[in-house]
Amino acid sequence: MINNTARFILLTAMFLVHTVLLADNFTLKGKVVDEDNNAVELVTVSCVQQAKMVMTNLKGEFSITLQSADSVVVNFSMIGYKTRTRVLRKPRGTLTFVVTLHPQDALQEVTVTERRRQTSATEQLDIKDLRQTPSVTGNAVEELIQQQAGVSTHNEMSSQYNVRGGSFDENAVYINNIEVYRPLLVRSGQQEGLSVINSDMVEKIGFSTGGFEAKYGDKMSSVLDITYRRPQRTEANLTASLLGGSAYIGYAAPSQHSTPKFTMSHGVRYKTNRYLLGSLETTGEYRPNFLDYQTYISWKPSQRWSIDIIGNISENHYNFKPKDRETSFGTMEDVKSFKVYFDGQEKDIFRTVFGTASIARHFGDSTTVKILASAFHTKEQETYDIQGQYWLDDTQTSEQLGVGTYMEHARNYLTADVQSVKAMVNHKLSKHDIEAAATLKWERIKEMSREYEMRDSSGYSVPHTTDRLDLIYTLSSRHRMSSRRIEGYLQDTYRWASGGHAENTDNSDSQTFYTLNYGLRFSHWSWSGETTVSPRLSLAIVPSWNHDVTLRVATGLYYQAPFFKELRDTTLNQASGITEVTLNDHIKSQRSLHFIAAMDYRFRLMERPFRFTAEAYYKYLSNLIPYNVQNVKTTYYGQNLCKGYTAGIDLKLYGEFVPGTDSWITFSLMKAQQQFDSGHSPSFPLPTDQRWAINLHFTDYFPGTDRWKMTLRLAYADGLPFGAPHRGIEQQNFRAPVYKRADIGMAYLAYKSPGIHGLSLRSIWLGLDCLNLFGISNVNSYYWVTDVMSRQWAVPNYLTGRQINGKLTIEF
């Protein structure tokens, strides 16, 4: 009897304890969405007090069981969004609510607790430190791209870049779903002005080095996808430095909604690299001036309609009167000296106008139809008459190796117009994101070019003939071109989970997440009558055994649709000695078949977030149009003559090397080869065959303060192949020296407002940059001197030396 009574009391006590424990627990359920009511997957839902955390599923849903208390604090965090915090007062039972995450303001300081997972071939880059980074060109976005794995550049004065063995022209750039263009006649970094991307107006940067989706255009190497920001409040900033300045203002009309109905942004930029060009070996009067204005206007009259307008006007002038130059080159035991005295001048103008307008209709929360129209106009002029009298000496023996005169002349004029109309449809289902578009483009180009170069060595014209006077180079071209392109694509992004029901949010840790993107792109060009079809596929897997690992594979057939430069086929007229230009109307698109395998691993070290990325790739190239590169000018053969391949591996370690800052280091290995289609010709390197490269971007604070910030950029990369002029690309038997450069910048936060009330002073930054910290003489290209003995001497053209740049940034 006593035993039964004791047993009854024990069971009763256990029941009461269990009931109390259940009463102290509660279940929190809900859904996380963005401002457009789209589900946000893989958001971290955490309660730090109770050390519990779950992640939202593919529908943005979550469920977490917590212990009740007087107050329970729950955080919702995801990179790219502002962290939301909900405080629950004595919660009981089951609570359900919807949490809306708002995009992170690019101007605010943030503490990173979770980084956006990359589930496609496009990586989202962080932009919060762009203004404090040392810059040579003033084009902060492109300089950020140049530091990524698989990207190379050998000219700090240029914003152009090569990606995995591709040329400058193989990189697509989009702003708000519209492809943008660069000037066509630019041949040197000194001539380059401001790029079309205004970094003050940028909200998001997506960048892909290969295997990108079908929605991106007909380029073989990379995609840079820019999204301009809609201001959430009135804001402004001013920047001034020895290399130029900028002003930006953003306005958001007062609204009762979280997203303003009407916003507009205006940006003005001015650049002059006169101070920078003063460090070149060629002295003279440099007068470059580059001016740019952009605007972005967005209006949402209702939840169903939205209208966006982007406008850009750019005026770039480059005026130069050279005086003299003295270059020493060779080895310590064999030093050569090259002296030139100049006469003449160069005057270049690049005037560009670009505009887009779009109207979107939203049918519910799942379907959007958008119509976009764009127009691009460029008027370019490159004119110069420069004469140089040179001496090439051996400094050891005082022997005069070459004496002569050269004369360079150019009258190049080009006008280009590109208009387009694009219709887009996007439809979202529970697991699918379907997108389709059709584009019609009109292209009109007018060109008139006349160039020649005369060389006279020791009284003999080169090349020397007994019966006539020949110039070493003469070109004549006069063309008008008009064509039409029809482009379209259809793609779907399918997300699902296995290892449990995707709808069940309680066991998300045991699930494997999949993201499959597949699509088809087509294009037809009226000029050549060519039609191309491009299938593309990518798959990302987040395995159940470790949600910090993402495995990615991608493949696809990519075409490089020819533009005007690729069409120009040059032929030497033996009777007149003039190189004549014809436009090849039988040219085909260059073709590249991509195979990519990648792995991302997120981890924490010393309580700080890091991400390691490794990508291996192979690209089979066919229908290649060979080309030569001199400085940043790309000259094509105008015919499909070659095939080849590019293979390599890219590694990147990204994270908080120092608490509260972002740094990264990249290492790349690559081999890029090509060969002529005819016969069994041996392979030879592509002009962009950079076999290895290391880049470092390191940010730190001075000890004991967060007001002093230091940014260090290092580049150490293999030199590119080159050869004597007029010898053919297969004779590129030499390789330029290794490119080595270090830039360091220090920024001091002189003033920081304790709060923000309307358009008030927010912060003042004082900056000091040391460009080319170690004063290394990097080689950009070569000038070839030929004497009467037909010997050729490669005289290096060095880039900029060490320079100091001061900078002031005021934010409102």
Side-chain angles (χ1 to χ4, degrees):
M1 184 68 178
I2 296 177
N3 292 337
N4 291 335
T5 303
R7 185 179 301 159
F8 175 76
I9 294 173
L10 179 62
L11 290 174
T12 303
M14 291 177 62
F15 174 77
L16 292 174
V17 170
H18 181 67
T19 302
V20 171
L21 290 177
L22 287 178
D24 286 342
N25 289 342
F26 73 98
T27 300
L28 181 64
K29 292 184 177 181
K31 184 177 182 179
V32 180
V33 298
D34 60 16
E35 290 182 340
D36 298 323
N37 207 35
N38 299 316
V40 183
E41 72 273 13
L42 303 179
V43 174
T44 300
V45 183
S46 61
C47 179
V48 178
Q49 298 166 318
Q50 302 181 26
K52 287 191 175 182
M53 179 192 75
V54 297
M55 294 169 59
T56 60
N57 66 5
L58 300 178
K59 295 182 179 180
E61 298 171 345
F62 67 93
S63 176
I64 184 172
T65 300
L66 299 172
Q67 188 174 356
S68 182
D70 289 341
S71 63
V72 178
V73 180
V74 181
N75 295 318
F76 302 82
S77 60
M78 180 69 177
I79 187 66
Y81 296 93
K82 297 178 182 178
T83 298
R84 289 292 304 273
T85 300
R86 297 293 295 265
V87 180
L88 309 177
R89 303 295 182 185
K90 297 182 178 180
R92 293 288 188 273
T94 299
L95 303 180
T96 304
F97 52 79
V98 176
V99 178
T100 302
L101 294 184
H102 301 285
Q104 178 63 56
D105 189 342
L107 297 179
Q108 289 184 337
E109 296 291 336
V110 297
T111 300
V112 178
T113 58
E114 185 75 15
R115 298 193 179 277
R116 180 183 293 273
R117 188 187 303 273
Q118 182 179 345
T119 57
S120 70
T122 302
E123 179 186 4
Q124 297 297 320
L125 304 180
D126 199 334
I127 65 171
K128 67 185 181 69
D129 290 327
L130 281 182
R131 292 201 189 106
Q132 279 73 49
T133 301
S135 175
V136 179
T137 65
N139 300 315
V141 173
E142 285 85 349
E143 291 185 343
L144 175 65
I145 297 300
Q146 291 171 353
Q147 293 181 276
Q148 303 306 309
V151 183
S152 64
T153 180
H154 288 75
N155 189 341
E156 64 271 7
M157 292 185 291
S158 173
S159 62
Q160 301 191 56
Y161 49 87
N162 307 110
V163 178
R164 292 180 174 174
S167 70
F168 297 137
D169 302 316
E170 295 179 20
N171 307 311
V173 180
Y174 286 80
I175 297 180
N176 288 25
N177 294 311
I178 293 293
E179 187 174 4
V180 297
Y181 300 86
R182 299 175 182 268
L184 301 176
L185 289 182
V186 171
R187 59 182 173 83
S188 68
Q190 294 94 310
Q191 296 173 314
E192 282 195 35
L194 294 158
S195 77
V196 70
I197 303 171
N198 188 327
S199 59
D200 290 330
M201 302 171 68
V202 171
E203 178 183 45
K204 292 190 296 185
I205 300 176
F207 181 64
S208 174
T209 53
F212 38 88
E213 303 168 13
K215 69 178 181 179
Y216 296 119
D218 298 313
K219 300 290 186 180
M220 291 200 304
S221 292
S222 76
V223 167
L224 176 59
D225 189 0
I226 301 296
T227 302
Y228 273 180
R229 182 175 67 254
R230 295 184 177 95
Q232 300 301 303
R233 63 175 184 271
T234 302
E235 58 189 21
N237 67 69
L238 297 171
T239 301
S241 75
L242 298 177
L243 300 177
S246 66
Y248 162 80
I249 184 169
Y251 169 77
S255 173
Q256 297 178 349
H257 304 279
S258 59
T259 303
K261 285 190 173 183
F262 178 79
T263 65
M264 62 178 178
S265 304
H266 303 276
V268 177
R269 297 178 294 168
Y270 173 75
K271 170 186 171 181
T272 174
N273 52 7
R274 181 176 183 178
Y275 169 68
L276 189 67
L277 297 177
S279 64
L280 297 176
E281 290 188 333
T282 299
T283 64
E285 184 180 348
Y286 291 93
R287 289 186 293 119
N289 296 282
F290 311 113
L291 185 64
D292 167 272
Y293 166 75
Q294 288 194 40
T295 183
Y296 175 36
I297 300 174
S298 179
W299 180 40
K300 292 186 176 181
S302 69
Q303 292 295 323
R304 299 303 181 193
W305 292 93
S306 59
I307 300 172
D308 293 328
I309 297 174
I310 296 177
N312 169 245
I313 301 175
S314 177
E315 182 87 7
N316 298 330
H317 293 257
Y318 178 74
N319 300 317
F320 174 44
K321 290 184 178 180
K323 182 180 178 182
D324 57 46
R325 163 186 174 175
E326 183 172 355
T327 303
S328 297
F329 63 100
T331 63
M332 294 293 292
E333 294 78 17
D334 186 17
V335 181
K336 304 293 190 297
S337 175
F338 180 67
K339 297 180 181 179
V340 188
Y341 295 95
F342 296 101
D343 186 23
Q345 64 178 333
E346 176 177 355
K347 290 187 176 182
D348 304 327
I349 300 175
F350 303 93
R351 184 177 294 117
T352 302
V353 179
F354 171 71
T356 72
S358 69
I359 181 170
R361 175 67 163 90
H362 307 281
F363 297 89
D365 297 328
S366 60
T367 304
T368 301
V369 177
K370 182 181 291 188
I371 304 295
L372 306 96
S374 70
F376 169 80
H377 170 80
T378 181
K379 187 174 183 180
E380 305 173 23
Q381 168 186 312
E382 181 187 46
T383 62
Y384 56 83
D385 287 284
I386 296 177
Q387 176 180 282
Q389 296 180 331
Y390 66 85
W391 287 262
L392 179 63
D393 300 325
D394 188 324
T395 59
Q396 305 295 324
T397 64
S398 299
E399 177 186 0
Q400 215 170 61
L401 302 175
V403 178
T405 302
Y406 68 86
M407 172 73 179
E408 295 178 341
H409 165 92
R411 294 292 183 272
N412 298 329
Y413 304 93
L414 184 141
T415 303
D417 293 277
V418 179
Q419 292 91 31
S420 71
V421 176
K422 183 177 183 179
M424 294 180 60
V425 179
N426 183 270
H427 181 64
K428 297 180 184 295
L429 300 173
S430 60
K431 297 181 180 181
H432 294 266
D433 187 350
I434 303 170
E435 184 174 324
T439 305
L440 182 61
K441 290 183 181 180
W442 296 269
E443 302 168 346
R444 293 183 300 276
I445 299 175
K446 177 183 176 183
E447 177 215 24
M448 184 174 64
S449 297
R450 179 73 177 181
E451 300 178 5
Y452 67 78
E453 180 180 354
M454 181 274 292
R455 292 189 190 178
D456 180 273
S457 179
S458 299
Y460 293 92
S461 178
V462 179
H464 178 64
T465 57
T466 57
D467 56 345
R468 68 181 186 188
L469 178 63
D470 283 340
L471 301 177
I472 193 169
Y473 168 72
T474 305
L475 181 141
S476 178
S477 178
R478 191 183 186 98
H479 292 98
R480 289 177 179 267
M481 173 190 170
S482 180
S483 65
R484 184 179 65 255
R485 297 181 195 263
I486 301 174
E487 303 172 354
Y489 67 86
L490 174 64
Q491 70 172 41
D492 176 31
T493 301
Y494 174 38
R495 298 180 176 91
W496 77 99
S498 66
H501 297 289
E503 291 80 6
N504 187 352
T505 60
D506 292 326
N507 65 343
S508 61
D509 290 342
S510 64
Q511 295 178 351
T512 297
F513 295 93
Y514 300 88
T515 301
L516 175 66
N517 179 274
Y518 55 98
L520 195 68
R521 185 177 185 87
F522 73 90
S523 176
H524 176 78
W525 192 27
S526 64
W527 174 262
S528 63
E530 182 188 30
T531 300
T532 60
V533 178
S534 172
R536 305 177 187 182
L537 175 72
S538 67
L539 174 65
I541 303 174
V542 181
S544 59
W545 44 268
N546 192 338
H547 281 180
D548 289 325
V549 173
T550 304
L551 306 175
R552 294 182 285 112
V553 293
T555 186
L557 186 61
Y558 295 83
Y559 289 91
Q560 176 76 20
F563 201 57
F564 184 71
K565 290 196 293 186
E566 291 96 321
L567 303 179
R568 301 174 82 246
D569 186 8
T570 57
T571 305
L572 179 62
N573 188 318
Q574 297 294 337
S576 63
I578 297 176
T579 300
E580 299 174 349
V581 177
T582 58
L583 300 184
N584 184 0
D585 58 1
H586 298 291
I587 200 165
K588 297 179 180 179
S589 297
Q590 301 180 84
R591 188 166 54 198
S592 177
L593 181 59
H594 291 197
F595 298 97
I596 298 172
M599 184 273 291
D600 299 328
Y601 176 54
R602 305 185 306 173
F603 61 97
R604 298 187 70 85
L605 183 65
M606 296 177 291
E607 298 301 320
R608 298 195 292 269
F610 288 85
R611 184 180 73 244
F612 175 73
T613 301
E615 288 196 14
Y617 61 90
Y618 178 85
K619 299 193 294 185
Y620 175 74
L621 312 173
S622 58
N623 291 339
L624 291 182
I625 306 172
Y627 61 90
N628 287 308
V629 179
Q630 180 73 5
N631 203 314
V632 298
K633 181 180 180 181
T634 304
T635 304
Y636 291 88
Y637 277 44
Q639 298 182 50
N640 303 98
L641 298 176
C642 292
K643 60 184 178 182
Y645 71 90
T646 301
I649 184 170
D650 294 327
L651 306 177
K652 180 179 180 179
L653 178 62
Y654 180 96
E656 294 188 8
F657 292 20
V658 174
T661 68
D662 291 330
S663 303
W664 64 88
I665 183 171
T666 68
F667 176 68
S668 299
L669 293 173
M670 184 188 70
K671 187 174 184 180
Q673 298 284 306
Q674 64 180 336
Q675 64 181 136
F676 288 107
D677 289 326
S678 58
H680 301 281
S681 62
S683 62
F684 50 92
L686 282 161
T688 53
D689 180 38
Q690 180 180 271
R691 297 170 297 187
W692 53 268
I694 301 173
N695 283 284
L696 172 67
H697 182 105
F698 179 74
T699 307
D700 194 4
Y701 289 103
F702 278 49
T705 179
D706 60 356
R707 287 182 172 269
W708 278 98
K709 180 181 289 187
M710 183 275 296
T711 303
L712 175 66
R713 301 192 317 175
L714 298 177
Y716 189 63
D718 186 29
L720 298 178
F722 74 96
H726 316 298
R727 290 285 185 91
I729 55 173
E730 70 278 11
Q731 299 296 324
Q732 306 271 324
N733 299 322
F734 307 102
R735 192 170 285 270
V738 171
Y739 181 84
K740 296 170 288 187
R741 185 174 176 89
D743 298 324
I744 189 171
M746 290 175 288
Y748 174 65
L749 182 58
Y751 173 80
K752 183 177 181 179
S753 173
I756 302 175
H757 306 283
L759 186 61
S760 58
L761 182 61
R762 177 185 176 86
S763 63
I764 299 177
W765 286 90
L766 302 176
L768 186 66
D769 300 339
C770 182
L771 308 174
N772 196 358
L773 176 64
F774 301 115
I776 298 172
S777 298
N778 288 303
V779 177
N780 176 36
S781 58
Y782 289 87
Y783 182 80
W784 291 82
V785 177
T786 306
D787 59 21
V788 293
M789 304 300 295
S790 296
R791 292 179 300 183
Q792 291 188 309
W793 304 88
V795 181
N797 297 315
Y798 292 114
L799 289 165
T800 58
R802 183 189 297 111
Q803 293 290 92
I804 301 296
N805 181 35
K807 185 163 54 177
L808 169 67
T809 302
I810 304 175
E811 299 175 344
F812 299 90

